[in-house]
Amino acid sequence: MNHSACHRWWLSVLILAALLPTSLFADHIVGGEFQYELLGYKNDDPSTGILRYRITINMYRDCIGAGAWFDGNDPRATREVPSADGHISIYNGDNYYIRQRAITLDRFETVPINLGNPCLVITEPICQEIGIYTFIQELPISEETYTFVYQRCCRNESIRNLLNPRQIGATYFIRITPEAQRWLSSSPEFNIDPPIAICIDEPFQIDLGATDQDGDSLVYRFCDPRLGGGTDGGPNTGFVTATYFDDIVPLEESPYPYEAVPWVGPRYSVDDQLGVGSTLELDPATGQLSGLPIYPGTHVLGVCVEEWSRGPNPVMISETKREFQLNVARCGNTVNADLLETEIDEQGRFFIRQCGPGPNTIINESTLQQSISSYDWEMIGPGGQLITATSRDFATNIQEIGVYEGVMLLNRNTFADNCKDTARFLLGVYPAVEAKFSSTTVVCDPLPIAFTNESLAVGGQRITSHEWDFGDDSPAARSIEPRHQYRAPGSFTASLLVTDENGCQDEISAPVDYFPAPRTIILDPPDAFGCAPYENRFVNRSIPIDDTYEFEWRFGDGLTSDERDPLHTYQEVGTYDVYLAITSPRGCFVDTTFRELVDVRGSPQADFVFSPEQPSNIFPDVNILDRSTGATSQRYDIADRAGNAIFSAPGPDILYRLRDTSTLRVTQVVTHPSGCRDTLSKDIRLYLKNSFSAPNAFTPNGDGLNDSWRPVGIWEGASDYQLRIWNRWGEMIYSTTTFEEAWDGTYRGSNSPAGGYLWDVVFTNAEGNPEAFKGSMVLIR
């Protein structure tokens, strides 16, 4: 293709790519490979001349971002994120055998991240899925090669080793040659999924080997990824010449051969797919891919497996091509040699102190364990003896005092230097030190306990520190032989930690029982005064005591208690002696009688009455009359419901006028000659009362005297009032619902005749109860 034609082709692809929907682009498909398995002749009959193959297509999809799903009915597809129809083309020679062979996604799964280096972890988001398609295809034996091909445009625009990746497509194919048909051969099958990520500036080794079920020889080599998709690319470009939009999802894939991808030269080529300066090697016999990348980013790689027959004149039977997308990312190292040490010396060595000859284990804290495949320990022991081990922790049994140097190596034989790490250490074996002590025994007298230090330095070394813990939350003591006063009884665990001049330590603990009796019994309060009935809490302040001790109380009124701090009520007036005996858990006994400890005085009893019991608006004055006993003075305090004081006056009796219907609280405070007091509160309120009376005659003659008639009374708080008047013939001639409205002696504008009339009245009184009255009266003219 000349320069001008090439320019026009790139421009046309760019324009078409801009016009077509994003969902049709195959940039989410980042790699793929075909393989075939011969199942035998059709109907197991060689005479048919038809071979049956199981065709498998492995397609690799980038699952980072919002790209389309796999072609061929991906079950996760939606209208917004579709799954394009899946199909391939099958050629026999240069001619179509099947123009469009539908394929359907069988299953998909996540591709594991294999960095080719066990001691690294990826620090960037990486994700690929493998979509697997399988189908059975029958093919007549032919002297021509069958080509199975899948083409799509375009590639991931982040690819850095190809020119214009967003504008070029991919071709994944496999060819069943006449030799493969004659040899009744199946293609090799890759052992594992391709790597999807490796680490920049770190070595890697990854198995890209395959297995051939026929036992043929396999040879591995790098090969060019192939172009695919496009429109009217001209001869030998790998594109279909078409007048329809057939470049993104071709209706018909193009025939073999297929053009190699355009590498970003001169840095990248088929032999430098990770770039000049990076190391990339493929073992031709095993398929092991190894190297050290120096350029970050996304790269496309191509690997081919040639299948050769065995024998003196080998023939190439088939070639299987794998194309995959590899991300060179930044990673973190995971291996770090670390030991549980006493300290680290100035040369950076771990120093482990062993106190006393004999068995010892050096604890290995190296990380991460899943990245460590081997441990190698070497230490020069007594007399220059080499002590070795391959376990994670290092067990020794050295009987001679001394300092011994050693080393621990991680992943000693790995290919990757970053997987290796070393810890150098010193094991110091020193004479043992033994902590030991004894203590005095306290029985009944609460004396301090004396601790005697009996610690021993086995090798004659100097003991430099003693640290005592008495087990009672008191501060630690650092004297050699301390005395300690316990403030409470109990069974304590005392301990002694000793340290010698070599830094060796030993600790011992021993029980210390402390259950003496108190020297003096102390009560709170020291004396008690109150008014009968008098309730007093006796608080036992004696030291040392707790709830394991026995207590015997005698309160002087014939009653007793065995509680530590009893609550007791005296019902009668008098002065009482109180006795208390205390017995410790060890049987130590002490007792005391407190003479005239409790003084119980006489008490008045408050009481009063109201007269009347229900004062009303008619009679609002209430007498508050004293009914208390044993009191020499009385006082009354009156307050509203909110507690606000309204009135206060001395007794014994008082008169108080109620001014409204709100409830008041009356409190009487009375005092006994002993000074004891009592109080009593009662509520009082003003009750509303209604009165009723009716005149028996009236004279409506206009002289201003008795000119109208109505009932009279006190109506405060009453409601639902009704007055009715009837003449002698039973005709109602007047009615009203207003208390103050009166009958003027007329009916329908005319004077009613003199004579007798009947009336009735109903209303609801202030207490909410109905009342009714009726009677007669005389109209006089």
Side-chain angles (χ1 to χ4, degrees):
M1 182 186 298
N2 61 39
H3 177 78
S4 176
C6 181
H7 177 77
R8 290 195 302 272
W9 177 80
W10 283 118
L11 182 60
S12 65
V13 170
L14 181 61
I15 294 173
L16 290 171
L19 294 175
L20 287 171
T22 303
S23 61
L24 293 178
F25 281 82
D27 55 352
H28 60 293
I29 301 299
V30 297
E33 75 236 12
F34 279 76
Q35 63 191 47
Y36 60 86
E37 178 187 2
L38 177 66
L39 302 178
Y41 287 99
K42 181 178 182 180
N43 301 326
D44 294 326
D45 184 1
S47 66
T48 62
I50 298 176
L51 298 175
R52 299 182 68 247
Y53 291 92
R54 177 183 289 112
I55 308 298
T56 300
I57 310 172
N58 293 331
M59 207 76 67
Y60 300 96
R61 171 184 174 271
D62 185 354
C63 41
I64 295 290
W69 303 113
F70 287 111
D71 294 350
N73 300 318
D74 190 315
R76 300 167 292 181
T78 63
R79 179 177 297 179
E80 293 76 18
V81 184
S83 172
D85 293 336
H87 63 81
I88 65 171
S89 293
I90 306 175
Y91 286 89
N92 181 237
D94 294 331
N95 301 312
Y96 280 117
Y97 181 72
I98 298 177
R99 284 180 176 270
Q100 192 179 82
R101 200 325 178 165
I103 58 174
T104 301
L105 180 65
D106 289 337
R107 68 184 190 277
F108 62 89
E109 55 195 42
T110 300
V111 177
I113 295 177
N114 177 9
L115 299 176
N117 187 318
C119 304
L120 296 173
V121 290
I122 198 78
T123 59
E124 300 176 9
I126 302 291
C127 177
Q128 282 189 27
E129 293 175 338
I130 178 174
I132 302 171
Y133 306 77
T134 60
F135 60 91
I136 305 299
Q137 184 64 51
E138 296 181 349
L139 299 174
I141 297 176
S142 173
E143 292 301 318
E144 298 285 347
T145 296
Y146 288 100
T147 303
F148 292 74
V149 56
Y150 171 94
Q151 291 179 324
R152 289 295 183 272
C153 181
C154 300
R155 296 177 183 267
N156 192 322
E157 64 182 351
S158 65
I159 296 171
R160 67 176 297 160
N161 60 347
L162 302 183
L163 285 171
N164 302 310
R166 181 67 170 169
Q167 301 169 20
I168 61 175
T171 296
Y172 311 126
F173 69 98
I174 198 166
R175 309 185 77 215
I176 305 178
T177 65
E179 290 78 13
Q181 299 171 56
R182 285 195 295 271
W183 285 76
L184 301 179
S185 176
S186 298
S187 68
E189 180 179 352
F190 286 101
N191 296 328
I192 63 174
D193 294 330
I196 64 175
I198 55 178
C199 300
I200 188 171
D201 295 325
E202 297 290 353
F204 69 91
Q205 289 182 354
I206 299 173
D207 177 22
L208 285 187
T211 300
D212 185 76
Q213 67 180 24
D214 304 318
D216 294 324
S217 296
L218 302 180
V219 177
Y220 302 87
R221 64 181 177 84
F222 291 119
C223 54
D224 291 291
R226 300 293 170 167
L227 291 172
T231 62
D232 196 13
N236 301 318
T237 61
F239 299 106
V240 178
T241 301
T243 56
Y244 45 81
F245 292 114
D246 198 17
D247 58 328
I248 304 300
V249 182
L251 299 178
E252 302 167 358
E253 275 80 0
S254 61
Y256 184 84
Y258 306 108
E259 186 175 355
V261 294
W263 297 98
V264 177
R267 173 177 290 176
Y268 295 98
S269 68
V270 67
D271 296 320
D272 290 297
Q273 298 187 25
L274 291 181
V276 174
S278 295
T279 302
L280 184 64
E281 297 177 352
L282 181 65
D283 190 308
T286 65
Q288 178 171 274
L289 183 69
S290 61
L292 190 152
I294 64 173
Y295 302 112
T298 304
H299 298 74
V300 171
L301 275 69
V303 173
C304 289
V305 185
E306 298 175 354
E307 179 187 8
W308 292 79
S309 65
R310 294 185 179 272
N313 299 305
V315 176
M316 192 171 82
I317 300 172
S318 71
E319 182 179 80
T320 300
K321 174 179 168 295
R322 167 179 271 183
E323 181 182 321
F324 58 97
Q325 182 173 290
L326 185 62
N327 192 291
V328 179
R330 301 192 181 279
C331 302
N333 208 331
T334 63
V335 172
N336 178 51
D338 189 19
L339 303 178
L340 179 61
E341 79 286 352
T342 306
E343 58 192 55
I344 295 180
D345 72 6
E346 58 187 16
Q347 298 181 40
R349 294 175 298 186
F350 296 90
F351 183 79
I352 297 98
R353 180 181 290 106
Q354 177 181 339
C355 297
N360 182 63
T361 299
I362 298 177
I363 304 301
N364 195 335
E365 296 184 331
S366 301
T367 56
L368 289 168
Q369 288 196 51
Q370 61 265 31
S371 298
I372 303 174
S373 59
S374 68
Y375 303 88
D376 288 277
W377 296 83
E378 296 178 355
M379 186 178 73
I380 305 300
Q385 175 192 5
L386 179 64
I387 303 173
T388 64
T390 57
S391 56
R392 176 168 173 83
D393 297 329
F394 188 34
T396 62
N397 189 0
I398 296 177
Q399 300 298 326
E400 296 183 17
I401 304 301
V403 177
Y404 304 95
E405 187 171 1
V407 63
M408 187 272 294
L409 300 97
L410 301 178
N411 299 328
R412 185 177 205 169
N413 299 316
T414 185
F415 74 93
D417 289 340
N418 67 294
C419 270
K420 301 176 182 179
D421 200 11
T422 301
R424 299 190 178 277
F425 65 92
L426 296 175
L427 175 60
V429 181
Y430 297 100
V433 61
E434 180 183 356
K436 187 177 180 181
F437 70 88
S438 60
S439 61
T440 57
T441 300
V442 169
V443 182
C444 292
D445 198 8
L447 297 172
I449 290 181
F451 291 87
T452 302
N453 178 23
E454 300 172 353
S455 301
L456 176 65
V458 177
Q461 69 274 24
R462 184 171 55 91
I463 296 178
T464 58
S465 73
H466 303 76
E467 184 172 330
W468 298 85
D469 183 347
F470 303 112
D472 61 350
D473 297 327
S474 62
R478 289 177 171 79
S479 57
I480 296 178
E481 294 188 336
R483 293 170 60 84
H484 182 66
Q485 178 67 64
Y486 286 94
R487 309 305 298 176
S491 293
F492 302 95
T493 299
S495 62
L496 168 62
L497 174 66
V498 296
T499 305
D500 69 9
E501 60 184 331
N502 297 320
C504 287
Q505 293 183 326
D506 190 35
E507 184 173 16
I508 189 171
S509 298
V512 175
D513 290 339
Y514 184 74
F515 292 99
R519 283 198 179 98
T520 304
I521 295 179
I522 303 173
L523 299 186
D524 186 15
D527 53 36
F529 160 80
C531 304
Y534 171 58
E535 182 180 81
N536 183 61
R537 170 74 69 181
F538 292 92
V539 180
N540 191 343
R541 302 291 189 190
S542 307
I543 297 176
I545 60 170
D546 63 12
D547 291 336
T548 64
Y549 284 60
E550 295 180 1
F551 306 96
E552 181 187 358
W553 293 85
R554 300 173 191 170
F555 300 112
D557 60 354
L559 299 179
T560 62
S561 174
D562 60 1
E563 296 180 9
R564 174 177 172 174
D565 301 311
L567 179 67
H568 182 67
T569 301
Y570 290 91
Q571 301 291 343
E572 303 296 333
V573 174
T575 301
Y576 299 91
D577 298 338
V578 176
Y579 169 83
L580 172 60
I582 302 175
T583 305
S584 78
R586 299 292 184 265
C588 300
F589 178 84
V590 63
D591 68 344
T592 299
T593 299
F594 297 88
R595 301 294 180 184
E596 298 183 350
L597 179 67
V598 179
D599 182 5
V600 181
R601 305 287 179 86
S603 299
Q605 184 172 356
D607 191 20
F608 63 94
V609 297
F610 298 118
S611 180
E613 292 183 358
Q614 294 185 347
S616 68
N617 52 326
I618 299 175
F619 300 105
D621 292 339
V622 58
N623 289 291
I624 303 176
L625 306 175
D626 175 48
R627 295 292 185 266
S628 63
T629 58
T632 57
S633 66
Q634 302 84 11
R635 188 182 79 254
Y636 296 93
D637 297 320
I638 301 177
D640 60 20
R641 293 292 293 273
N644 300 311
I646 296 176
F647 180 79
S648 181
D653 304 323
I654 65 171
L655 178 66
Y656 184 75
R657 171 165 291 184
L658 298 171
R659 311 200 184 285
D660 54 43
T661 59
S662 60
T663 299
L664 301 180
R665 171 64 56 90
V666 179
T667 300
Q668 182 190 54
V669 181
V670 296
T671 304
H672 186 270
S674 66
C676 293
R677 302 170 65 188
D678 191 26
T679 62
L680 177 67
S681 296
K682 295 181 180 181
D683 290 340
I684 187 77
R685 71 180 181 89
L686 183 74
Y687 291 83
L688 294 178
K689 300 292 184 181
N690 302 123
S691 63
F692 179 89
S693 65
N696 57 10
F698 75 114
T699 57
N701 54 15
D703 62 357
L705 299 174
N706 295 324
D707 286 334
S708 61
W709 183 92
R710 68 174 178 85
V712 294
I714 298 174
W715 306 110
E716 185 177 1
S719 61
D720 303 325
Y721 174 80
Q722 184 179 44
L723 164 66
R724 297 180 297 179
I725 299 176
W726 287 268
N727 61 22
R728 70 182 65 181
W729 296 284
E731 181 181 13
M732 187 174 68
I733 61 174
Y734 179 76
S735 69
T736 182
T737 58
T738 302
F739 287 107
E740 303 302 328
E741 188 173 305
W743 182 42
D744 61 359
T746 64
Y747 178 58
R748 293 181 179 177
S750 302
N751 290 330
S752 296
Y757 293 85
L758 300 175
W759 57 269
D760 68 7
V761 170
V762 296
F763 62 91
T764 299
N765 66 24
E767 298 296 323
N769 299 315
E771 295 197 31
F773 301 91
K774 56 185 175 180
S776 62
M777 47 78 176
V778 177
L779 188 156
I780 303 173
R781 291 200 181 272

